[in-house]
Amino acid sequence: MEFPEDLKYSKEHEWVRLEGDTAVIGITDYAQDSLGDVVYVELPAEGDAVTRGETFGVVESVKAVSDLYSPVSGSVVEMNDAVVDGPEAINEDPYTEAWMLKIELDNIEELEELLSADEYQQFIEEEK
Amino acid sequence: MVCIRFLKALQSVLDSRITVLYETHKGLGARFVDFAGWRMPVLYSGVVEEHMAVREACGIFDVSHMGEIEVSGPGAEAAVQYIASNDIERIVDGQCQYTLVCNDTGGVIDDTIVYRRSADNFLFCTNAINTDSVFCWLLEKLHGREGVEVIDRSGEYAQIAIQGPASLDIFKIAFGIDTEEIRPFRFIETTVAGSLAIVSKTGYTGEQGLEIYLAPASAPAAWDALMAAGAGHGIKPIGLGARDTLRLEMGYPLYGYEITEEFGPIEAGLKRFVALEKGGFIGQKAMVERAEGAPKSVLVGLRMEGSGVPRTGYELFSGDKAAGNVTSGTHSPALKYGVAMAYVAPEFKEPGTRLNMQIRKRSVECTVVAIPFYRREKK
C-alpha cells in the first residue's frame, strides 16, 4: 500500500494535497482496499460548502456503503466528473486519477491538524 | 430444547465458531466477517474478481457453517413428508430436493435441501443461522412418533462447494471421479480425500458444480487437492461477498431477506416447491389459504435504470404512492448494473413496470424484470 509523503491524511481515511490555496481531496489506498470494488460515488456540486469532519458524499462498493468525511472546510471549486462516471478509478489510482474535490479553504491552518504519511500509517496499524 | 437453544445463542455471541478450514483461509489472505455465529471469509482477492471466476472458470467455497440434520428410521419418509413443503415421494435414493420447513402459519423456518440416502435415511442441509431452529422444530414436531430419529450431524460434516464451468474437470483431476453424468439434484456417496463423502450436483450460483459433504478432518486435504488441480484452470477461493452477488444475479432467495417467518413460499414465488395437494403437512392449511387469497406483497426482480446501488430496506414508490421495499440488492458484476429483489404490492408486479427507488436523498428509476437477472450463455 502506498502513502505519498507530500500528502496530508485524516483519520477518516481521506487525503489532502495542497495546490496553492486549493486543497485537492480523495480517499486513501487503505480506504479503497478496505472498501473493495468501488461501483458508485456521490459527490457535492461546485459551490457547495464542506465542513471538516462532516460527510460530503458517499462511496459504495459491491458489498457496502460508506460515508465520505471532509478533511477540510471550504467551498467546492471543482468536482471530478470522471470519478463519478468511472468509480473503479478509486481502486486503480486513488491519489492521482481519482481525486474527488478541489476545495477553496476557509482556513489553511486546519491542515496542521491532519496526519503526515508516517503518522497515518501508524494510525492504521493501530486500527487493524 | 429452550435450554440448548439459549446456550448455543449465548455461545455464538461470546465467540464465533470457526470452520476446520479457518487456517487455510488465513493462509490465502482472506478477510473475515461474523456471519450467523461463524467467522467466515467475506473475500480473498475481491468480490468482482471472485464472482467472475465462478462465472468463467471455477470458484471454491467453504460452506462448512451450514448444518446437516438427519432424519432416520422406518418412519423417516412420512416424517419428512409431514415436516417439509415439497413432495418427498417424488424423489428416489440418490436424489435431493429443495424444500421449505414452514411454521403453522405458512411462514418459513428454513429453506433447505433434503437428501434421500435411502428410504429410511434423509439429511437436511440447513442455513447456518437456522440449524438450531430446525433441529428444535423437528424434535418438537416429531416427538412421540414411532420409528423416527432426529440427529444433528452438523459437527460431523465439513462442506466444500466448487462451482463454475471448469468445476467438474477440476474435481476429476483432484480425485479421479467423473461427475459429468450426475444429473442436477442427484448425488453420489464416494470417498474424497480419505473420507466417506456425499457429492451432489447442487449449488447457489447458477453455474454447474458440486457440493461435497465430508469429514472435517479430511476437508483441508480435499481443499488443497482441489486448489492444486484447479491451478491451471483459474480456480479461486470465494468468500461470502461473491456468494451473495452470485445468488442475487440468479434471483435465489436468501433466508432472512426474501423468505422469513412472515413472507413464505407463496409470496416469494416458490410455490413450485410446495406440494399443496399432498397429504397433511405443517403449514398446509395456511399456505392453501395464502395461495387462494390475494397476496399483499409479491417478490419481484428490479433492474436499476439510473446509477445507484440498491440495498436491503430501500423504499419503492410509484409516483407518490408507496409500492414496496427492497429485500436484497447489489451492483451485478456480470451485468454491470444494479439489481435487486423486492416485495411490491401485486399491482406493480408485472415486468416492465417502472418504479422509483429512494436511495438516500435521491429517487432513482428502476424497472420490474423477470428473474433470473443473469442467464448463462448456452454452449
Short mmCIF file of all heavy atoms in Angstrom, two decimals, chain B residues 86-114:
data_model
loop_
_atom_site.label_atom_id
_atom_site.label_comp_id
_atom_site.label_asym_id
_atom_site.label_seq_id
_atom_site.Cartn_x
_atom_site.Cartn_y
_atom_site.Cartn_z
N ASN B 86 -42.19 -29.60 0.11
CA ASN B 86 -42.16 -30.29 -1.18
C ASN B 86 -42.58 -31.75 -1.00
O ASN B 86 -42.68 -32.23 0.13
CB ASN B 86 -40.74 -30.20 -1.76
CG ASN B 86 -40.74 -30.14 -3.27
OD1 ASN B 86 -41.67 -30.64 -3.92
ND2 ASN B 86 -39.71 -29.56 -3.84
N ASP B 87 -42.83 -32.44 -2.12
CA ASP B 87 -43.29 -33.83 -2.04
C ASP B 87 -42.10 -34.78 -2.07
O ASP B 87 -41.52 -35.02 -3.13
CB ASP B 87 -44.24 -34.12 -3.21
CG ASP B 87 -44.87 -35.50 -3.09
OD1 ASP B 87 -44.52 -36.25 -2.15
OD2 ASP B 87 -45.71 -35.83 -3.95
N ILE B 88 -41.74 -35.33 -0.93
CA ILE B 88 -40.55 -36.17 -0.83
C ILE B 88 -40.73 -37.47 -1.61
O ILE B 88 -39.75 -38.11 -2.01
CB ILE B 88 -40.19 -36.44 0.66
CG1 ILE B 88 -38.75 -36.94 0.81
CG2 ILE B 88 -41.17 -37.40 1.30
CD1 ILE B 88 -37.68 -35.94 0.50
N GLU B 89 -41.99 -37.85 -1.88
CA GLU B 89 -42.23 -39.09 -2.62
C GLU B 89 -41.85 -38.96 -4.09
O GLU B 89 -41.80 -39.94 -4.82
CB GLU B 89 -43.69 -39.52 -2.47
CG GLU B 89 -43.97 -40.02 -1.06
CD GLU B 89 -45.44 -40.36 -0.83
OE1 GLU B 89 -46.21 -40.44 -1.81
OE2 GLU B 89 -45.81 -40.54 0.35
N ARG B 90 -41.59 -37.72 -4.54
CA ARG B 90 -41.19 -37.53 -5.93
C ARG B 90 -39.72 -37.89 -6.17
O ARG B 90 -39.28 -37.96 -7.31
CB ARG B 90 -41.36 -36.06 -6.33
CG ARG B 90 -42.78 -35.68 -6.65
CD ARG B 90 -42.79 -34.25 -7.21
NE ARG B 90 -44.04 -33.59 -6.91
CZ ARG B 90 -44.18 -32.27 -6.78
NH1 ARG B 90 -43.13 -31.48 -6.91
NH2 ARG B 90 -45.34 -31.74 -6.52
N ILE B 91 -38.95 -38.05 -5.10
CA ILE B 91 -37.53 -38.36 -5.33
C ILE B 91 -37.17 -39.76 -4.87
O ILE B 91 -37.84 -40.34 -4.02
CB ILE B 91 -36.58 -37.30 -4.70
CG1 ILE B 91 -36.64 -37.30 -3.17
CG2 ILE B 91 -36.86 -35.91 -5.27
CD1 ILE B 91 -35.53 -36.47 -2.53
N VAL B 92 -36.09 -40.26 -5.48
CA VAL B 92 -35.64 -41.62 -5.19
C VAL B 92 -34.30 -41.57 -4.47
O VAL B 92 -33.71 -40.49 -4.30
CB VAL B 92 -35.50 -42.44 -6.50
CG1 VAL B 92 -36.85 -42.55 -7.21
CG2 VAL B 92 -34.46 -41.81 -7.43
N ASP B 93 -33.80 -42.72 -4.06
CA ASP B 93 -32.49 -42.78 -3.41
C ASP B 93 -31.44 -42.12 -4.31
O ASP B 93 -31.46 -42.31 -5.53
CB ASP B 93 -32.06 -44.23 -3.16
CG ASP B 93 -32.99 -44.95 -2.17
OD1 ASP B 93 -33.89 -44.29 -1.61
OD2 ASP B 93 -32.80 -46.17 -1.97
N GLY B 94 -30.56 -41.33 -3.73
CA GLY B 94 -29.52 -40.67 -4.53
C GLY B 94 -29.98 -39.36 -5.14
O GLY B 94 -29.28 -38.77 -5.95
N GLN B 95 -31.14 -38.91 -4.75
CA GLN B 95 -31.67 -37.66 -5.28
C GLN B 95 -31.88 -36.69 -4.11
O GLN B 95 -32.10 -37.12 -2.97
CB GLN B 95 -33.00 -37.94 -5.99
CG GLN B 95 -33.39 -36.90 -7.01
CD GLN B 95 -34.62 -37.32 -7.81
OE1 GLN B 95 -35.11 -38.45 -7.70
NE2 GLN B 95 -35.13 -36.40 -8.62
N CYS B 96 -31.83 -35.40 -4.40
CA CYS B 96 -32.12 -34.42 -3.37
C CYS B 96 -33.09 -33.38 -3.91
O CYS B 96 -33.35 -33.33 -5.11
CB CYS B 96 -30.84 -33.77 -2.84
SG CYS B 96 -29.74 -33.09 -4.09
N GLN B 97 -33.62 -32.58 -3.01
CA GLN B 97 -34.76 -31.75 -3.35
C GLN B 97 -34.72 -30.46 -2.54
O GLN B 97 -34.44 -30.49 -1.34
CB GLN B 97 -36.02 -32.55 -2.98
CG GLN B 97 -37.34 -31.92 -3.29
CD GLN B 97 -38.48 -32.80 -2.78
OE1 GLN B 97 -38.61 -33.05 -1.58
NE2 GLN B 97 -39.31 -33.28 -3.70
N TYR B 98 -35.00 -29.34 -3.21
CA TYR B 98 -35.16 -28.07 -2.50
C TYR B 98 -36.53 -28.09 -1.84
O TYR B 98 -37.54 -28.42 -2.49
CB TYR B 98 -35.06 -26.90 -3.48
CG TYR B 98 -35.22 -25.53 -2.82
CD1 TYR B 98 -34.18 -24.97 -2.09
CD2 TYR B 98 -36.40 -24.82 -2.93
CE1 TYR B 98 -34.31 -23.72 -1.49
CE2 TYR B 98 -36.55 -23.56 -2.34
CZ TYR B 98 -35.50 -23.02 -1.62
OH TYR B 98 -35.65 -21.79 -1.03
N THR B 99 -36.58 -27.76 -0.57
CA THR B 99 -37.85 -27.82 0.15
C THR B 99 -37.83 -26.80 1.28
O THR B 99 -36.76 -26.31 1.66
CB THR B 99 -38.08 -29.25 0.69
OG1 THR B 99 -39.42 -29.39 1.13
CG2 THR B 99 -37.13 -29.59 1.82
N LEU B 100 -39.00 -26.45 1.77
CA LEU B 100 -39.07 -25.47 2.85
C LEU B 100 -39.64 -26.11 4.10
O LEU B 100 -40.58 -26.90 4.02
CB LEU B 100 -39.94 -24.28 2.42
CG LEU B 100 -39.35 -23.56 1.21
CD1 LEU B 100 -40.28 -23.64 0.03
CD2 LEU B 100 -38.96 -22.15 1.55
N VAL B 101 -39.05 -25.77 5.22
CA VAL B 101 -39.61 -26.17 6.50
C VAL B 101 -40.40 -24.96 7.00
O VAL B 101 -39.83 -23.90 7.26
CB VAL B 101 -38.50 -26.56 7.50
CG1 VAL B 101 -39.10 -26.89 8.86
CG2 VAL B 101 -37.70 -27.75 6.96
N CYS B 102 -41.73 -25.12 7.02
CA CYS B 102 -42.59 -23.98 7.33
C CYS B 102 -43.20 -24.11 8.72
O CYS B 102 -43.27 -25.19 9.29
CB CYS B 102 -43.70 -23.88 6.29
SG CYS B 102 -43.07 -23.40 4.67
N ASN B 103 -43.66 -22.96 9.24
CA ASN B 103 -44.38 -23.00 10.51
C ASN B 103 -45.88 -23.15 10.24
O ASN B 103 -46.31 -23.24 9.09
CB ASN B 103 -44.03 -21.76 11.35
CG ASN B 103 -44.42 -20.47 10.65
OD1 ASN B 103 -45.34 -20.44 9.84
ND2 ASN B 103 -43.71 -19.39 10.96
N ASP B 104 -46.66 -23.14 11.30
CA ASP B 104 -48.10 -23.41 11.14
C ASP B 104 -48.82 -22.34 10.35
O ASP B 104 -49.88 -22.56 9.79
CB ASP B 104 -48.75 -23.55 12.52
CG ASP B 104 -48.17 -24.74 13.29
OD1 ASP B 104 -48.26 -25.86 12.76
OD2 ASP B 104 -47.59 -24.52 14.37
N THR B 105 -48.24 -21.13 10.29
CA THR B 105 -48.92 -20.04 9.58
C THR B 105 -48.41 -19.89 8.14
O THR B 105 -48.79 -18.94 7.45
CB THR B 105 -48.74 -18.70 10.32
OG1 THR B 105 -47.34 -18.39 10.35
CG2 THR B 105 -49.27 -18.77 11.74
N GLY B 106 -47.55 -20.80 7.70
CA GLY B 106 -47.07 -20.75 6.32
C GLY B 106 -45.86 -19.86 6.12
O GLY B 106 -45.46 -19.59 5.00
N GLY B 107 -45.29 -19.38 7.22
CA GLY B 107 -44.01 -18.67 7.15
C GLY B 107 -42.89 -19.69 7.15
O GLY B 107 -43.14 -20.91 7.26
N VAL B 108 -41.66 -19.24 7.00
CA VAL B 108 -40.56 -20.18 6.78
C VAL B 108 -39.62 -20.25 7.99
O VAL B 108 -39.17 -19.23 8.50
CB VAL B 108 -39.74 -19.78 5.53
CG1 VAL B 108 -38.63 -20.78 5.27
CG2 VAL B 108 -40.65 -19.68 4.32
N ILE B 109 -39.35 -21.47 8.44
CA ILE B 109 -38.34 -21.69 9.47
C ILE B 109 -36.98 -21.82 8.81
O ILE B 109 -35.98 -21.29 9.28
CB ILE B 109 -38.70 -22.94 10.30
CG1 ILE B 109 -39.94 -22.61 11.14
CG2 ILE B 109 -37.53 -23.37 11.19
CD1 ILE B 109 -40.54 -23.77 11.85
N ASP B 110 -36.95 -22.50 7.65
CA ASP B 110 -35.71 -22.55 6.87
C ASP B 110 -36.01 -23.08 5.47
O ASP B 110 -36.97 -23.83 5.29
CB ASP B 110 -34.67 -23.46 7.54
CG ASP B 110 -33.26 -23.20 7.01
OD1 ASP B 110 -33.04 -22.16 6.37
OD2 ASP B 110 -32.38 -24.05 7.24
N ASP B 111 -35.18 -22.67 4.52
CA ASP B 111 -35.22 -23.34 3.22
C ASP B 111 -34.00 -24.25 3.17
O ASP B 111 -32.91 -23.87 3.58
CB ASP B 111 -35.28 -22.36 2.05
CG ASP B 111 -34.05 -21.48 1.91
OD1 ASP B 111 -33.41 -21.18 2.94
OD2 ASP B 111 -33.73 -21.08 0.77
N THR B 112 -34.22 -25.46 2.73
CA THR B 112 -33.18 -26.48 2.84
C THR B 112 -33.13 -27.35 1.59
O THR B 112 -34.04 -27.31 0.77
CB THR B 112 -33.46 -27.43 4.04
OG1 THR B 112 -34.49 -28.33 3.67
CG2 THR B 112 -33.89 -26.68 5.28
N ILE B 113 -32.06 -28.12 1.50
CA ILE B 113 -32.05 -29.22 0.53
C ILE B 113 -32.07 -30.50 1.34
O ILE B 113 -31.30 -30.65 2.30
CB ILE B 113 -30.82 -29.14 -0.39
CG1 ILE B 113 -31.00 -27.94 -1.33
CG2 ILE B 113 -30.65 -30.43 -1.20
CD1 ILE B 113 -29.89 -27.73 -2.32
N VAL B 114 -32.99 -31.39 0.98
CA VAL B 114 -33.08 -32.65 1.70
C VAL B 114 -32.57 -33.76 0.78
O VAL B 114 -32.94 -33.85 -0.39
CB VAL B 114 -34.50 -32.93 2.24
CG1 VAL B 114 -35.53 -33.02 1.13
CG2 VAL B 114 -34.51 -34.20 3.10
#
